[in-house]
Amino acid sequence: MVCTGAKTEDSSKLAARKYTRIIQKLGFQAKFKGFKIQNIIASCDVKFPIRLEGLACYHHTFSTYEPKIFPGLIYRIKGKKETKWAKVVLLIFVSGKIVITGSKKRKDTYTVLTQFQKKFTC
């Protein structure tokens, strides 16, 4: 079962439990077990426009920007293989909106955002 749209990990788990209960009431043998978060998506707005061309040029090893294919810059944080946040991706848009996707824990999302912020404040 895939549960989408929850705002917290707990509400996602609660929704999955409720759906399991509904399936049981319909007469199917269903059990709630093996629950895990696969992907957390977060978004923020920095409240100023971002020059994606400059960002792509300056951080070309981390980013991909093809405006004719996709309007946002895809920024892949390069982490060590053993770090759990190595597969987190930021989608950065000219409007200042940023979408963070790919983490499995909320803590990893904050870690990536902190790492990203350090790269731009130095």
Side-chain angles (χ1 to χ4, degrees), residues 42-112:
S43 64
C44 64
D45 187 356
V46 295
K47 304 284 187 197
F48 57 85
I50 300 172
R51 292 181 38 224
L52 298 181
E53 296 86 4
L55 183 61
C57 183
Y58 189 72
H59 292 271
H60 64 277
T61 57
F62 302 107
S63 59
T64 305
Y65 182 52
E66 304 272 344
K68 291 181 181 177
I69 298 170
F70 181 69
L73 180 137
I74 301 168
Y75 194 96
R76 297 180 191 280
I77 300 286
K78 303 285 188 198
K80 297 176 185 172
K81 295 284 185 193
E82 57 270 5
T83 58
K84 294 181 181 175
W85 49 268
K87 295 183 180 179
V88 176
V89 175
L90 284 80
L91 305 174
I92 305 169
F93 297 92
V94 173
S95 64
K97 303 259 198 272
I98 300 174
V99 177
I100 305 162
T101 185
S103 64
K104 294 181 186 283
K105 294 183 181 176
R106 186 184 301 205
K107 180 182 77 168
D108 297 339
T109 302
Y110 290 122
T111 302
V112 166

Side-chain angles (χ1 to χ4, degrees), residues 5-72:
K7 299 290 183 191
T8 66
E9 293 92 336
D10 291 337
S11 62
S12 177
K13 191 171 187 175
L14 179 63
R17 282 187 186 277
K18 285 182 178 182
Y19 286 122
T20 302
R21 187 68 184 128
I22 289 169
I23 292 169
Q24 288 171 344
K25 286 183 178 180
L26 290 172
F28 294 97
Q29 295 254 335
K31 291 187 179 182
F32 182 79
K33 63 179 184 177
F35 177 84
K36 63 181 174 177
I37 303 288
Q38 290 291 337
N39 186 21
I40 293 178
I41 299 172
S43 64
C44 64
D45 187 356
V46 295
K47 304 284 187 197
F48 57 85
I50 300 172
R51 292 181 38 224
L52 298 181
E53 296 86 4
L55 183 61
C57 183
Y58 189 72
H59 292 271
H60 64 277
T61 57
F62 302 107
S63 59
T64 305
Y65 182 52
E66 304 272 344
K68 291 181 181 177
I69 298 170
F70 181 69

